[in-house]
Amino acid sequence: MKRFTPLCFVLALSAPLFLSAQDEKIDLNAIQKIRQEEAQRSKVMDIAFHLTDVNGPRLTVSPGFTKAANYAIQQLKSWGLTDATLDPWGEFGKGWELQRSYVAMSAPYYKSVIALPKAWCSGTNGLQNAEVIVVSAKDSASLDVYRGKLAGKIIIMDRSEDYKQSFSADATRYDADALQKMAEAKPGRPGPPDSAAMRARREQFAQLRIQATLPNIIKTIAKAEGAVAILSTNSRSHDGTVFVQGGGGFKASDPENFLDLAMAYEDYMSMLRLAKSGTPVKMEVDVKTKFTTNDTKGYNVIAEIKGSDKNLKDEVVMLGGHLDSWHGGTGATDNASGCAIMMEAVRLIQATGVKPKRTIRIALWSGEEEGLFGSRGYVKKTFGDPATMQLLPAHTKFSSYFNVDNGTGKIRGVYLQGNENVKNIFASWLQPFKDSGASTITVNNTGGTDHLSFDAVGLPGFQFIQDPIEYNTRTHHSNMDTYDHLIENDLKNSAAIVAAFVYNAAMRDEKLPRKELPKVGGNQRGF
Amino acid sequence: MKRFTPLCFVLALSAPLFLSAQDEKIDLNAIQKIRQEEAQRSKVMDIAFHLTDVNGPRLTVSPGFTKAANYAIQQLKSWGLTDATLDPWGEFGKGWELQRSYVAMSAPYYKSVIALPKAWCSGTNGLQNAEVIVVSAKDSASLDVYRGKLAGKIIIMDRSEDYKQSFSADATRYDADALQKMAEAKPGRPGPPDSAAMRARREQFAQLRIQATLPNIIKTIAKAEGAVAILSTNSRSHDGTVFVQGGGGFKASDPENFLDLAMAYEDYMSMLRLAKSGTPVKMEVDVKTKFTTNDTKGYNVIAEIKGSDKNLKDEVVMLGGHLDSWHGGTGATDNASGCAIMMEAVRLIQATGVKPKRTIRIALWSGEEEGLFGSRGYVKKTFGDPATMQLLPAHTKFSSYFNVDNGTGKIRGVYLQGNENVKNIFASWLQPFKDSGASTITVNNTGGTDHLSFDAVGLPGFQFIQDPIEYNTRTHHSNMDTYDHLIENDLKNSAAIVAAFVYNAAMRDEKLPRKELPKVGGNQRGF
């Protein structure tokens, strides 16, 4: 659906058919075909359009996720993949959908505000016009003064003013210096300074820990007393971009969560200042949410391109990304982009007619946002249990797993995930893509996503280095994680690189070398 | 309401009391007092809080404007200004208020969207659930195919995808190079490359011209056929920031305008792509607006500090900015900031006990956003008619007018507005503020705001050079023009500089030198 811009990275036809770099043989002819197919007949934006605009948000177990998963299965089948299926990985919990969300300030004057209910929250039981009450507390004891005062109220927690204008760009690409620093990183050193997913996940976990304290106590009191809602914000949620995740438990046995509205910083602070100055502030809120409990199991999408070599077809190369998303936007950069890249990569392999020797298996995970549940469940039932390190037969037949989950930014290289044995292999695999800016190899780990589930049982799992673009500033878990924030050429580039990596792994004489097996009890690294 | 940060630009007490630079005498003692008062007892953020959060939007003639004007009058009186009044300048038109705005996509799935009715549009007469229809037309003739098909529909105009991620910062300050270029500008050359208001106003007028063609034709048909609304967007309205102005005529005799919803680019394009792909798209819209016609005259706020010198007190120095705003936010940087600076400047003069010889008159204009109506009306009835150049007696008694209307950014210097006679005077007036980064003088004009009304009758009217910050990217005429986008230290700096300029003009032996009087018919420059 985006304007077509010809890719300028198609190899000249005079390129040698085989390149031997650092003892790695590469089928340059196949890679050339892959790049040509991507440049001339890309479907990556069409896939992204279906996963985002057409489908809507894809919260795990919710109708949006199921719709997207079924679309993916139908597409993968249409490209000739086999055994395309919704593969259950275990118990997840309730589905949840937003059916109405109207939030406005109604006094001291009418003002449209930007706010979204957090996932798995209950609604308001119709339109409410409620007074805003400021709750100011440093510890749980000081919350006592609010007991008995919250019925029919909307709670705004007092907070300090911490917004600063953005004097740096929202969208960035790695410059030569940043890539050089990654390349020079030593094993065991901390991750790269701006590993997007890792930082975001740490923030998320830190936030969850805080949520376990004051706001959760007040929410419990508020729910018991019949308050209407609580308002939340943070200084990242500025300019209309609102970051919004889950509002509490989602297990089948969990009660519905008290309505927690993630709100634009400007709207929140304006109401807070007014209320603190003694001006009565009222809000109109009409939120309707729907919980679905018809099937509380989690499913991944799995499909295969069967290997062509009789000796190697039982060995598996995997590629994947999580299909589930948060609900503020349509999960375009987190992670329709990764799924579109992976789906396009297998399409490229099929469309070019190359015949990979090993079996290539694509996985689109669910439950990633809540804790990598889909990939962990799949790895546990397929390859082994990271808790006991009891391994299954498929563990020995596994080559490698490649993951994309850092937004729309084009691939600039790959994280070795501490596995220096693959450094020279990846260096030679990246060589044909040097012209597209993908040449950096770092021994660093990167965390926060599904390759960790493989790493946890000692299987080679890798994530690519991607340009950050707006991942940390605008799109990651926000209402702006939408199709228009995707960059077509970056996705095309990435699809060709992933297809080449997967194909190379499927054609290589040996499976990819591994790190030492993790010790029992020591394999939760990076989670 | 913002954190207090001590200003670091207070002059050392050992500074000479009088500075003679280029033959200009400056009362450094008074300037020192002004800066100390601002550093230690600033009210500028409190004024801004009242004009924005407490008051809400200030659309001309609307209740919000009147409330803000009355607040300003009460404040000015409390600081000892005299003759503080709502001063009528002529016929404006209808007031308008938003009383409800609920907009969402309801099919193919439910999605909260960011949208705001344009000013002076009618509502929906309750909640509507309507189908979206794509209108694709290159000329008025090709609109004919849509006739008879618009009843009950929401119209989305086809448009191309033109969003690009922001690889440059939203907020900027002028660097030394940019200031140097302004300083080196020659008379008659085009304005500075990034004169915010000028460019924005040109865009606004260009947009108005376009509005006179296709969308206006379709709106006429839509209204006649009973359509629900039309959607609008532009690629600046991204990340949740939505730029929204007027939806058509506002004169007392004008009919209500067909509902035009300014919408976030991401939401608009998602619905457009869906509808164009053949997916039925529906929306829920419930908009209630209120027109007020109790008084359709426009008013400015005027107040004075009477001059202390019996020979000079009939001469006038003016300072001002427009108080009216658009309605998407609360008009914080356009132009509560300018009004807060001007109000604070007269408060500083009063609080420090300095006794200006000439009369200082503050004006907070209305109708600026629709065409500088308030200042033009005031100048015409007070000083002379720019159309005929018939001048009134007060014209000879006028020294100068100083305006602020380019957002929150701190003052970096002043535009001479083509009047090179004041260059050395302003150079010496800026000298005490060099430490705050305000030292640039450019002969350039800057357009788009109320000093032009003075310039048009040959009176010295000036606008300051201000750091752009987010004026063009985020706040100017958007839903993000809110209190949190103000920068406290910048406003404080600016208030002190304006107070000093106005005080210097009131104390100078002579009125400020003028340019040649404009010729009849040649005085619409810069509008």
Side-chain angles (χ1 to χ4, degrees), chain A residues 3 53 161 266 273 485, chain B residues 3 53 161 266 273 485:
Chain A
R3 288 171 306 288
D53 287 336
E161 295 182 334
E266 293 87 345
R273 281 187 296 268
H485 290 265
Chain B
R3 289 171 307 286
D53 286 336
E161 295 181 335
E266 293 87 345
R273 280 188 296 269
H485 289 265

Side-chain angles (χ1 to χ4, degrees), chain A residues 384-392 395 455-459 516-523:
Chain A
D385 185 346
T388 60
M389 281 307 287
Q390 292 212 317
L391 304 178
L392 299 168
H395 193 277
D455 196 53
V457 292
L459 293 177
E516 273 183 38
L517 275 186
K519 291 184 180 65
V520 174
N523 48 17

Side-chain angles (χ1 to χ4, degrees), chain B residues 195-206:
Chain B
S195 160
M198 189 185 285
R199 229 181 25 241
R201 186 54 52 101
R202 267 197 230 105
E203 269 172 32
Q204 185 186 347
F205 287 162

Side-chain angles (χ1 to χ4, degrees), chain A residues 8 54 88 108 111 116 124 164 167 182 221 236 274 286 303 353 371 400 415 417 447 458 486 506:
Chain A
C8 56
V54 175
K111 188 185 171 204
L116 280 169
T124 53
K164 294 271 179 290
F167 284 92
M182 285 191 214
I221 303 170
R236 293 174 69 210
L274 280 169
D286 186 357
S400 46
Y415 297 99
Q417 208 62 26
L486 298 174

Side-chain angles (χ1 to χ4, degrees), chain A residues 1 3 53 99-101 109-110 161 163-166 171 239 241 266 270 273 470 483-485, chain B residues 1 3 53 99 101 109-110 127 161 163-166 171 239 241 266 270 273 470 483-485:
Chain A
M1 300 298 296
R3 288 171 306 288
D53 287 336
Q99 296 197 318
R100 167 168 283 218
S101 179
Y109 49 90
Y110 184 87
E161 295 182 334
Y163 171 69
K164 294 271 179 290
Q165 279 81 358
S166 300
D239 303 332
T241 302
E266 293 87 345
S270 180
R273 281 187 296 268
E470 305 167 312
Y483 178 91
D484 291 289
H485 290 265
Chain B
M1 299 300 294
R3 289 171 307 286
D53 286 336
Q99 296 198 317
S101 179
Y109 49 91
Y110 185 88
L127 177 65
E161 295 181 335
Y163 171 69
K164 294 270 180 288
Q165 279 81 358
S166 300
D239 302 333
T241 303
E266 293 87 345
S270 180
R273 280 188 296 269
E470 305 167 311
Y483 179 90
D484 291 288
H485 289 265

Side-chain angles (χ1 to χ4, degrees), chain B residues 241-276:
Chain B
T241 303
V242 173
F243 294 83
V244 53
Q245 302 181 212
F250 49 80
K251 299 287 173 210
S253 57
D254 286 335
E256 291 189 9
N257 299 295
F258 180 65
L259 178 56
D260 190 339
L261 293 165
M263 179 167 282
Y265 181 85
E266 293 87 345
D267 292 328
Y268 185 101
M269 295 307 291
S270 180
M271 289 196 290
L272 178 60
R273 280 188 296 269
L274 280 170
K276 285 174 78 175

Side-chain angles (χ1 to χ4, degrees), chain A residues 1-3 49 52-57 67 98-105 108-112 114-116 127 160-173 238-242 264-267 269-271 273-274 276-277 279 284 328-330 408 469-470 474 479-480 482-487, chain B residues 1-3 49 52-57 67 98-105 108-112 114-116 127 160-173 238-242 264-267 269-271 273-274 276-277 279 284 328-330 408 469-470 474 479-480 482-487:
Chain A
M1 300 298 296
K2 285 251 174 175
R3 288 171 306 288
F49 166 64
T52 58
D53 287 336
V54 175
N55 186 83
K67 198 164 58 150
L98 192 56
Q99 296 197 318
R100 167 168 283 218
S101 179
Y102 166 61
V103 187
M105 184 174 83
Y109 49 90
Y110 184 87
K111 188 185 171 204
S112 190
I114 302 174
L116 280 169
L127 177 65
S160 55
E161 295 182 334
D162 55 358
Y163 171 69
K164 294 271 179 290
Q165 279 81 358
S166 300
F167 284 92
S168 54
D170 287 340
T172 53
R173 292 191 185 276
H238 59 91
D239 303 332
T241 302
V242 173
Y265 180 86
E266 293 87 345
D267 292 328
M269 295 306 293
S270 180
M271 288 195 292
R273 281 187 296 268
L274 280 169
K276 284 174 78 176
S277 77
T279 305
E284 290 179 356
T330 50
T408 190
I469 314 294
E470 305 167 312
R474 291 288 170 199
N479 59 342
M480 288 301 129
T482 55
Y483 178 91
D484 291 289
H485 290 265
L486 298 174
I487 300 178
Chain B
M1 299 300 294
K2 285 251 175 175
R3 289 171 307 286
F49 167 64
T52 58
D53 286 336
V54 175
N55 186 83
K67 199 165 54 151
L98 193 56
Q99 296 198 317
R100 168 168 282 220
S101 179
Y102 167 61
V103 187
M105 184 173 84
Y109 49 91
Y110 185 88
K111 187 185 171 203
S112 190
I114 302 174
L116 280 168
L127 177 65
S160 56
E161 295 181 335
D162 55 358
Y163 171 69
K164 294 270 180 288
Q165 279 81 358
S166 300
F167 284 92
S168 54
D170 287 341
T172 54
R173 293 192 183 276
H238 59 91
D239 302 333
T241 303
V242 173
Y265 181 85
E266 293 87 345
D267 292 328
M269 295 307 291
S270 180
M271 289 196 290
R273 280 188 296 269
L274 280 170
K276 285 174 78 175
S277 76
T279 304
E284 291 180 355
T330 50
T408 192
I469 313 296
E470 305 167 311
R474 291 289 169 198
N479 59 341
M480 288 301 128
T482 54
Y483 179 90
D484 291 288
H485 289 265
L486 298 174
I487 299 177

